[in-house]
Amino acid sequence: MKQLRPAILGCITLVVFCVIFVVPFFFIALQAVKDRQGSSLLNFSWPSETQLWQNLVDVVQARDYQLLLAYFNSTVITVFSVTGLVIFAAMVGYVLQRRPSKWNKYVNFAVLAGLMIPPAVVPTIWLLQQIGLFKTIHGMILIEIAYNLSFSILLYRAFIATVPRDLDEAARIDGAKPLQLFFRVILPLLKPVTVTNIVVQSIAIFNDFTNPLYYLPGKDNVTVQLTLYNFQSQFSTQYHLLFMNILLVTIPPLIVFIFFNKQIVEGMTAGAVKG
Amino acid sequence: MSGLELKKVCKSYGAVEVIKDLSLQIESGEFVVFVGPSGCGKSTLLRMIAGLEDCSGGTVEIGGEDVTDAEPSDRGIAMVFQSYALYPHMSVRDNIGFGLSLAKTPKAEMNARVEEAAKILQLTDYLDRKPKALSGGQRQRVAIGRAIVRNPKVFLFDEPLSNLDAALRAKMRLELTELHANLNVTMVYVTHDQVEAMTMADKIVVLNKGVIEQVGKPMDLYNNPATAFVAGFIGSPQMNLLEGAAARKLGAEIYGIRPEHIDISRESGLWRSTVRQIERLGNDAILYLDVEDVGSLTVTTDGQTDVVIGDMLFATPQPQNEHRFPTIAR
Ligand SMILES: Nc1ncnc2c1ncn2[C@@H]1O[C@H](COP(=O)(O)OP(=O)(O)OP(=O)(O)O)[C@@H](O)[C@H]1O
Ligand SMILES: [Mg+2]
């Protein structure tokens, strides 16, 4: 009896999570292979006619291959923002953790504020316009870095607390300058959180819908999430293409997540217990 | 010329004075050990010499040069930490060579020097391993290797052996002494273990609450402790220190006699006592005696002694080995 109870509980949990996570995904995949009439019903009925390949080609070719441009834009934004995030957040976390000064209070406050206070869209756009970054990819990259910096800093700071100070001192005695100390001794030791940061932030930024919508309008600036608008209009929606598009857009983050989910958990909890 | 001189150095954290006006001269090639109870400022003093901690006052000279404001890497020192502080992501080779690579030493010379250090420390077979895959003693040796390749004028050690088990500690103690003899450089060694201090040092510096109690050769400190604190700290088991009426009867404010300098007999003697406890160590036995009006006495005696708990014994201090101290002023 004693062994049975956890097993039953485990099964129930599995079933519940299956329903929550797998069923929607299955629904998307199912609609993506149907034809226009079939998908407009939005039900689980088995497709009378499958046209996976045709849907795929239609989606990719839509609006002069816009999806490919969107992939390119999203990739550029994601790669550069995540790189910037990792370097800045690790540096800020390191300084906050290792050099107590009277400024720390304010920096900590700013970090928390960045986490808690929702950004105001209109003033941000105004500011971007003033400095000529509105509707530009690099402006978007800076926005993503700014919005996600707080979370990354918190992750890094907790982890840096577990790196023994003796290492810094040994490196100083060995003759390391501050930047050498950071890049050659500290940063390599932060690999577990860096992986976490890369995975979590790249998924978040790749999947970001609202920020590109506000700050990066323009036909040439589309990101993958915005291509979902291609098949929706006020009067008719081509559900089979929309769902195919969703499927294509979901796949890259899903792959990243499946491959790295173990490291994510490790990095998240690494700061908690000393290993 | 690689001596070391501290002139009136002090260190305070806010209102707390950790090191007070401390002056000390260390000759070139000496093995100096700082001992003292926990929290007396040994590590702080060592870190001030290393430059990891600023001096609140006074000057530090290494090799005749004032280095009070110099960076740690410019002082010609190398330090071995209690935690070893090896870089976990680097191989043993890179750990030892890290300082050289920062100094942009040519690759060939760097390899040669790393390998030479590895040979001295018998680490040649482990050069490509990560620190994680080494035993405690091997890690310790890597930490020492990292110090050796820097060719420092002064080696600094902060309790380097305290993470090792007793047998390995004895072995490393010997290795360090031999290393000192071979390299013939100045070494400053911090420990709270008086056995390490006695066995390794050319000169012992006894610290207490941030001031020097006494400086001297190990046997001088053992034979002629300047204060009751030093007397109690050097030597094992601890010296018996009597205070109050019992001490005044023997003509001192504090009267000290080492456990090995008390004779026991069953017939007659100065103090009548009963045996409270016996610890047999094999070659020695340590007796804990209760003496009326005096208190507890520790006595070492022959390991084969037939004394048992509860016996009545007479204990007599050897007159030539008595120590008399004035009251501790502080
Ligand atoms: N950053 C600090 N702020 C305030 N006090 C400190 C600081 N660092 C050390 N101290 C105090 O300085 C004193 C000396 O510390 P130190 O580490 O030198 O002791 P120690 O002799 O090495 O002791 P141990 O044998 O336990 O290592 C201690 O009383 C400690 O509380
Ligand atoms: Mg210490």
Side-chain angles (χ1 to χ4, degrees), chain A residues 166-167 169 171 173-175 184, chain B residues 47 83 86-87 89 101 150:
Chain A
D166 284 359
L167 283 185
E169 293 176 346
I173 289 179
D174 270 341
R184 295 189 57 180
Chain B
R47 293 163 54 82
S83 62
L86 302 180
Y87 313 119
H89 56 296
S101 93
R150 303 201 59 218

Side-chain angles (χ1 to χ4, degrees), chain B residues 186-204:
Chain B
T186 316
M187 291 191 174
V188 182
Y189 188 104
V190 164
T191 179
H192 58 248
D193 179 353
Q194 61 95 22
V195 178
E196 273 174 31
M198 290 294 286
T199 50
M200 301 170 82
D202 293 327
K203 188 155 101 182
I204 294 181

Side-chain angles (χ1 to χ4, degrees), chain B residues 13 18 37-44 159 192:
Chain B
Y13 293 105
V18 179
S38 190
C40 67
K42 308 180 293 289
S43 300
T44 309
E159 308 202 22
H192 58 248

Side-chain angles (χ1 to χ4, degrees), chain B residues 142-157:
Chain B
V142 177
I144 296 170
R146 196 167 61 184
I148 290 179
V149 286
R150 303 201 59 218
N151 255 335
K153 294 185 217 156
V154 181
F155 276 83
L156 306 174
F157 297 90

